[in-house]
Amino acid sequence: MDLGITGRNALVCASSKGLGRGCAEALAREGANVTILARTEAEVKRQVRWVACDVTTPEGRAKALAACPEPDILINNAGGPPPGDFRDWDRDTWLRAIDANMLAPIELIRATIDGMIARRFGRIVNITSSSVKAPIEVLGLSNGARSGLTGFVAGLARKVAQHGVTINNLLPGSFDTARLRSSVIAARAKAAGKSVDEMIASMQAAIPARRLGNPAEFGEVCAFICSVQAGYLVGQNILLDGGAYPGTF
């Protein structure tokens, strides 16, 4: 299937590795002109345009938009805040989480959406988390900040759809990324008194697909959401979790 995005400009945040990289590679394969963003220069050695910047800061966002000033496709993505106990989180900790996982994506949307409206084409995908549908106890910071972003874009998506601009959210479950292993799984393993490998085996057994997700398959779904064929998909929260969420809706 030709997704109809050849030649479109795509700005993909946090895309040197993990889920962001999966999205960047899928978009590039479909012919998009991809600009990838990462915090450090050492992480952005790809055969696409790249920028070393931190999009959670005003300076980083300015640098990203200087490299790709008129994106047709924006993939908002940022590493989630660390796990922990809410009793240990002060106001500054909460504000850092909100800045990174709610306000930074909103600022990038604000900076790019009017150009998309003028060109009558735009695709914005926010990579959030399955915790938006089913909160994860140790990820309270992520639960709160990402839910705030979800609520904001729900209204905006319906306002701009008439202009050929869609905004949707991708909610990853357990994908085999370095962050999942080093942060979330490590925290769960420590709390349960298990090794990381034991915890991974336990997680896989609890997922109907009996495995962790692959970032490449996540990227393929993202690319489809950015396609011309997905123009009627508006304001949705699309859960990719191997069937782990037990609900009917």
Side-chain angles (χ1 to χ4, degrees), residues 122-136:
R123 297 288 185 267
I124 298 172
V125 178
N126 302 300
I127 300 174
T128 60
S129 170
S130 62
S131 67
V132 171
K133 278 188 73 75
I136 300 170

Side-chain angles (χ1 to χ4, degrees), residues 171-202:
L171 284 56
S174 297
F175 278 77
D176 195 359
T177 64
R179 179 181 179 274
L180 183 77
R181 286 177 177 267
S182 64
S183 180
V184 178
I185 294 178
R188 288 180 176 177
K190 182 178 179 181
K194 297 181 178 180
S195 70
V196 169
D197 287 341
E198 288 173 329
M199 183 55 61
I200 290 174
S202 177

Side-chain angles (χ1 to χ4, degrees), residues 8-48:
R8 294 290 187 184
N9 295 318
L11 184 63
V12 187
C13 301
S15 50
S16 65
K17 55 188 176 182
L19 301 181
R21 177 177 173 178
C23 294
E25 290 183 344
L27 290 167
R29 281 194 299 272
E30 294 298 328
N33 303 317
V34 177
T35 299
I36 71 172
L37 308 177
R39 287 177 183 270
T40 64
E41 186 171 337
E43 294 177 333
V44 287
K45 295 177 180 178
R46 308 264 85 79
Q47 294 303 311
V48 293

Side-chain angles (χ1 to χ4, degrees), residues 229-245:
Q229 290 90 343
Y232 207 55
L233 186 68
V234 174
Q236 299 303 303
N237 292 289
I238 300 164
L239 182 64
L240 278 75
D241 69 347
Y245 177 69

Side-chain angles (χ1 to χ4, degrees), residues 159-175:
K159 184 176 181 179
V160 301
Q162 62 183 307
H163 303 293
V165 178
T166 69
I167 310 176
N168 293 285
N169 304 314
L170 267 177
L171 284 56
S174 297
F175 278 77

